[in-house]
């Protein structure tokens, strides 16, 4: 197709991607604020819940952030497989540190000062391994590094991501019978009691989609013409989700 160049032409910072990532973070803040507010007030209007919970807060938040993460790999000058794996491990360790500040320290402060140890529960220490988008990013970078190590084609990466997504969808919430097993598999499929908000198997398809999309975007001669294909992206995503 004449729209694409053999060489990379859209190099450097891309304003469109920066805006998308920025809005996705704002929408994530909207969603988490709504979740906290609903814990104290159930009288919020249906329209408010729908817009900030099901429109902006979910499809336009974490999935867009993950998609842009995949595009960012295409644009990164440090996309070697070993660099990605090292970055993924660091991100996952940082996630554990964040969980200390998010759960354990507030638990101690609230319990010591107010005597209310249940406001920030730690679930016998299991919340240290709570799988949020930070942990997902670390695991996704590790897996992307492995796939790049074997130099898999885009076709095979998509096949792997789709199969993982289907496996994760149908096994989510599975109870392995032991807390430690549920905790381990929460990182991958979101097992019972494993505190897995973003299991790798279910969500990995988003950074892979961004990675494949980014390889075309970086070679698009005319970005305006490229973005005219946006209805196709919407239709493909809608059909898959259905």
């Amino acid at each position: 197709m004449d729209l694409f160049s053999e060489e990379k032409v859209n190099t450097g910072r891309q304003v469109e991607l920066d805006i998308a990532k920025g809005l996705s973070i704002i929408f994530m803040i909207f969603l988490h604020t709504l979740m906290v507010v609903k814990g104290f007030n159930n009288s919020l209007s249906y329209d408010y819940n729908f817009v900030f919970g099901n429109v902006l807060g979910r499809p336009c938040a974490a999935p867009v952030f993950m998609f842009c993460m995949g595009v960012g790999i295409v644009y990164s000058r440090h996309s070697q497989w070993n660099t990605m794996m090292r970055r993924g491990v660091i991100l996952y360790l940082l996630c554990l540190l964040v969980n200390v500040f998010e759960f354990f320290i507030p638990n101690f402060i609230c319990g010591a000062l107010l005597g209310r140890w249940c406001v920030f529960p730690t679930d016998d220490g299991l919340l240290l391994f709570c799988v949020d988008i930070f942990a997902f990013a670390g695991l996704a970078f590790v897996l992307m590094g492995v796939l790049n190590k074997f130099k898999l084609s885009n076709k095979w990466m998509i096949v792997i991501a789709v199969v993982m997504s289907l496996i994760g969808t149908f096994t989510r919430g599975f109870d392995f019978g032991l807390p430690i097993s549920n905790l381990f598999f929460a990182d991958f499929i979101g097992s019972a009691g494993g505190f897995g908000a973003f299991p790798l198997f279910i969500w990995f398809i988003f950074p892979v989609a961004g990675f494949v999309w980014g390889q075309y975007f970086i070679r698009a001669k005319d970005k305006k013409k490229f973005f005219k294909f946006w209805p196709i992206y919407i239709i493909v995503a809608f059909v898959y989700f259905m």
Side-chain angles (χ1 to χ4, degrees):
M1 185 181 294
D2 189 53
L3 178 59
F4 301 106
S5 168
E6 292 294 330
E7 304 296 329
K8 298 178 180 179
V9 291
N10 293 317
T11 57
R13 296 295 294 256
Q14 301 297 310
V15 176
E16 300 90 346
L17 299 178
D18 287 339
I19 292 175
K21 285 185 287 186
L23 288 176
S24 70
I25 293 172
I26 292 173
F27 296 153
M28 277 190 267
I29 295 173
F30 284 171
L31 175 61
H32 284 81
T33 302
L34 176 65
M35 291 165 61
V36 173
V37 171
K38 287 175 67 175
F40 298 92
N41 181 5
N42 291 319
S43 62
L44 298 175
S45 70
Y46 171 81
D47 293 337
Y48 186 91
N49 272 289
F50 182 78
V51 171
F52 289 99
N54 297 325
V55 179
L56 299 180
R58 286 192 169 87
C60 295
V64 173
F65 186 85
M66 296 173 182
F67 183 90
C68 291
M69 187 175 76
V71 181
I73 294 175
V74 178
Y75 276 84
S76 176
R77 288 175 291 182
H78 305 286
S79 58
Q80 300 84 359
W81 69 270
N82 54 344
T83 303
M84 280 196 287
M85 292 186 68
R86 189 183 310 114
R87 182 180 181 185
V89 171
I90 292 174
L91 283 174
Y92 190 82
L93 293 176
L94 286 175
C95 172
L96 299 183
L97 182 62
V98 168
N99 287 344
V100 169
F101 285 93
E102 183 177 359
F103 299 115
F104 286 82
I105 293 180
N107 171 268
F108 175 78
I109 294 176
C110 193
L113 295 181
L114 304 177
R116 300 181 63 188
W117 294 95
C118 61
V119 176
F120 291 92
T122 61
D123 290 279
D124 297 326
L126 294 181
L127 276 180
L128 178 63
F129 301 95
C130 179
V131 186
D132 60 11
I133 196 167
F134 207 177
F136 166 81
L139 294 172
F141 270 113
V142 171
L143 183 52
M144 289 292 287
V146 172
L147 297 180
N148 282 348
K149 164 67 175 175
F150 292 99
K151 299 181 180 179
L152 295 184
S153 65
N154 287 341
K155 179 182 71 175
W156 279 110
M157 291 188 69
I158 293 173
V159 169
I160 290 172
V162 170
V163 170
M164 288 177 61
S165 178
L166 294 174
I167 292 174
T169 297
F170 290 108
T171 58
R172 182 171 174 83
F174 183 82
D175 191 347
F176 289 89
L178 292 173
I180 188 65
S181 299
N182 287 336
L183 177 63
F184 175 79
F185 284 102
D187 282 347
F188 304 100
I189 63 171
S191 53
F195 313 105
F198 297 103
L200 179 66
F201 273 52
I202 296 178
W203 295 88
F204 186 63
I205 194 169
F206 289 102
V208 168
F211 180 73
V212 174
W213 183 89
Q215 292 177 53
Y216 288 94
F217 180 66
I218 202 171
R219 296 188 294 106
K221 297 178 183 178
D222 189 331
K223 290 198 290 186
K224 290 184 178 180
K225 288 184 179 180
F226 180 80
F227 281 122
K228 287 182 179 179
F229 289 94
W230 68 266
I232 298 178
Y233 313 144
I234 299 290
I235 293 172
V236 171
F238 180 78
V239 170
Y240 179 77
F241 286 136
M242 291 302 293

